[in-house]
Amino acid sequence: MKAWIVENTRDYDYFDWNEIIFAENYKKARKLALQTELYETSEDFVHMRVRRYPDMDDTENLNRKEFEYKLWQSGWTWEGAFPLAPYDEYDDEKKARIDFLNWYSEYYKGSEEE
């Protein structure tokens, strides 16, 4: 299925995050965007933007770990636990995977996502 990124266009620091949703077309994606946690905190649909995100197409059935690995490969970063270098700084896929798994286990330590 097609992946879409939902963004809040406000400039406030606490609104600086995105969500990925899956839908067949823009109209359905826009409707789904209005059901996201991001929308609930945006205060107004005017600040919502939905656009295609083909890097994540057909990933809706991945488990959380593999989904986040794919996001990381696509350029996403996370705050917390300990720093994880951007994926494109790695020359070795195996080393990148090991570092990601170490980061993931630390980031989600003690949570259900582990």
Side-chain angles (χ1 to χ4, degrees), residues 8-16 47:
N8 187 318
T9 59
R10 295 179 96 174
D11 291 333
Y12 302 112
D13 289 338
Y14 53 90
F15 285 117
D16 188 25
H47 300 289

Side-chain angles (χ1 to χ4, degrees), residues 1-2 6 10 13-14 27 31 40-42 62-63 67 69 77-78 87 89 97 99 101-102 109 112:
M1 183 158 316
K2 293 179 181 175
V6 181
R10 295 179 96 174
D13 289 338
Y14 53 90
K27 185 177 181 180
K31 195 176 210 179
E40 290 175 13
T41 61
S42 71
L62 294 178
N63 64 38
F67 187 80
Y69 185 68
T77 59
W78 294 261
Y87 179 80
E89 290 183 11
R97 180 74 179 179
D99 284 358
L101 293 174
N102 289 335
K109 190 178 215 172
E112 295 176 10

Side-chain angles (χ1 to χ4, degrees), residues 20 24 28 33 36 43 45 52 57 69 76-77 80 88 96-97 109 111 113:
I20 303 291
E24 297 170 12
K28 290 180 182 181
T36 63
E43 300 175 3
F45 74 92
R52 279 284 284 124
D57 282 357
Y69 185 68
W76 287 49
T77 59
D88 61 0
R97 180 74 179 179
K109 190 178 215 172
S111 76
E113 301 294 333

Side-chain angles (χ1 to χ4, degrees), residues 54-67:
D55 285 359
M56 296 302 290
D57 282 357
D58 301 317
T59 61
E60 67 271 19
N61 294 320
L62 294 178
N63 64 38
R64 170 59 76 180
K65 186 183 296 181
E66 294 307 316
F67 187 80

